[in-house]
């Protein structure tokens, strides 16, 4: 793709693009549903938790702390305010365990960053809790690759516009890689930049998008290291 020769800055989503994240949340949700099995079925508890997350997203943003608060609120609601303090303690414990999860790099990440380093400015552009994302980046051992770290409250067109302005980068010189069509791909394409989708086997319901995407600046990958062939 000859037009990719214009690219000077490459941005990476973090969770489920550079390292494992969503499976930990899904396991935590299973534990939460089991805690409340005396009140409702796991399916109903899961649905209620998602409703709570969506209701509070504008206030809590994305991340573990908001997830913990949403679990507590959901437990209180589905139990008609009869949930025990022991269960609340266990919910908080689930959250603390999430915050201590190991950082497991995904296949090909290290090799890809090694190959791109020095030839492009590399950036992290990710959503999530500031302290938690900083912790994960530090533990990952990848921090030294990146020219800039942007932990975003959301990933809409306006958020990417702010990022490009800060980087002093034109859209045609920018490439975003990520696992979420909704957050990492569509807004970037709307901005006029390039984006590459790397599918992950588990995706949060809020980030799922079923429509097939076709765009001249869209690249579909199967693994992160495949981007190297597009940039030659």
């Amino acid at each position: 793709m000859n037009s990719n020769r214009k690219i000077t800055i490459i941005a990476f989503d973090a969770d489920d693009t550079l390292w494992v994240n969503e499976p930990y949340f899904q396991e935590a949700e299973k534990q939460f549903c089991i805690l409340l099995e005396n009140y409702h079925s796991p399916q109903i508890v899961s649905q209620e938790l998602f409703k709570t997350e969506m209701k509070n997203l504008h206030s809590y943003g994305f991340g573990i702390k908001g997830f913990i608060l949403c679990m507590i609120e959901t437990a209180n609601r589905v139990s008609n305010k009869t949930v025990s303090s022991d269960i609340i303690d266990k919910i908080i414990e689930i959250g603390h365990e999430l915050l201590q999860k190991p950082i497991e790099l995904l296949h090909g990440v290290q090799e890809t960053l090694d190959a791109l380093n020095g030839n492009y400015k590399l950036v992290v552009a990710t959503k999530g809790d500031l302290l938690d994302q900083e912790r994960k980046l530090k533990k990952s051992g990848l921090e030294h690759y990146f020219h800039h770290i942007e932990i975003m409250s959301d990933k809409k067109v306006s958020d990417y516009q702010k990022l490009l302005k800060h980087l002093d980068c034109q859209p045609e010189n920018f490439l975003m890689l990520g696992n979420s069509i909704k957050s990492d791909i569509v807004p970037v394409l709307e901005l006029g930049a390039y984006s590459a989708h790397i599918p992950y086997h588990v995706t949060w319901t809020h980030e799922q998008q079923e429509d097939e995407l076709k765009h001249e600046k869209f690249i579909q990958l199967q693994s992160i290291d495949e981007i190297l062939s597009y940039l030659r």
Side-chain angles (χ1 to χ4, degrees):
M1 188 176 291
N2 293 332
S3 52
N4 280 339
R5 297 172 189 266
K6 298 179 182 178
I7 291 170
T8 58
I9 295 180
I10 302 176
F12 297 83
D13 175 52
D15 294 335
D16 301 316
T17 297
L18 298 178
W19 52 65
V20 173
N21 180 67
E22 182 60 22
Y24 295 146
F25 275 87
Q26 296 210 355
E27 178 57 34
E29 184 174 323
K30 287 180 183 178
Q31 295 175 33
F32 171 70
C33 291
I34 291 171
L35 285 177
L36 298 176
E37 61 186 356
N38 289 334
Y39 298 102
H40 284 290
S41 69
Q43 182 180 10
I44 290 177
V45 173
S46 179
Q47 290 171 350
E48 290 301 313
L49 176 59
F50 183 71
K51 289 179 186 177
T52 308
E53 289 179 287
M54 293 302 98
K55 176 176 72 73
N56 293 325
L57 198 55
H58 70 286
S59 299
Y60 298 162
F62 300 85
I64 293 173
K65 294 171 187 174
F67 183 63
I68 296 170
L69 290 172
C70 287
M71 285 193 290
I72 293 172
E73 180 180 336
T74 302
N76 198 39
R77 185 173 70 251
V78 301
S79 68
N80 289 319
K81 300 184 179 180
T82 63
V83 66
S84 69
S85 60
D86 284 345
I87 288 180
I88 297 298
D89 285 344
K90 289 176 181 176
I91 290 171
I92 293 171
E93 184 179 332
I94 289 172
H96 281 299
E97 289 175 355
L98 269 178
L99 287 166
Q100 300 305 317
K101 289 295 184 183
I103 304 305
E104 180 184 347
L105 296 183
L106 294 173
H107 174 74
V109 166
Q110 189 93 48
E111 297 81 359
T112 301
L113 294 177
D114 279 333
L116 297 175
N117 191 33
N119 297 311
Y120 301 88
K121 282 186 178 179
L122 306 182
V123 170
V124 170
T126 187
K127 291 187 294 192
D129 178 81
L130 176 63
L131 291 178
D132 188 40
Q133 293 297 64
E134 288 179 340
R135 172 191 68 85
K136 287 191 281 189
L137 188 60
K138 186 173 182 179
K139 283 190 172 183
S140 73
L142 303 177
E143 194 171 11
H144 66 282
Y145 287 107
F146 298 109
H147 167 77
H148 177 72
I149 310 296
E150 188 79 12
I151 299 173
M152 307 160 80
S153 59
D154 207 345
K155 283 185 169 179
K156 296 179 180 177
V157 174
S158 59
D159 300 295
Y160 284 106
Q161 284 175 328
K162 290 177 184 177
L163 174 60
L164 264 63
K165 183 177 180 180
H166 177 80
L167 296 170
D168 193 23
C169 179
Q170 296 301 311
E172 61 266 24
N173 303 130
F174 183 80
L175 167 64
M176 176 73 193
L177 284 81
N179 68 297
S180 170
I181 294 287
K182 181 176 181 179
S183 292
D184 302 319
I185 307 303
V186 172
V188 176
L189 294 176
E190 288 182 12
L191 195 59
Y194 293 90
S195 62
H197 179 233
I198 309 161
Y200 191 63
H201 68 283
V202 178
T203 303
W204 185 31
T205 303
H206 179 64
E207 298 292 349
Q208 293 175 4
Q209 184 164 318
E210 301 298 329
D211 297 340
E212 184 179 357
L213 185 60
K214 293 183 180 180
H215 193 284
E216 62 180 1
K217 292 184 177 179
F218 172 64
I219 305 167
Q220 180 62 62
L221 307 175
Q222 293 306 312
S223 61
I224 194 169
D225 52 357
E226 287 183 5
I227 195 62
L228 299 176
S229 63
Y230 284 90
L231 295 171
R232 285 174 185 160

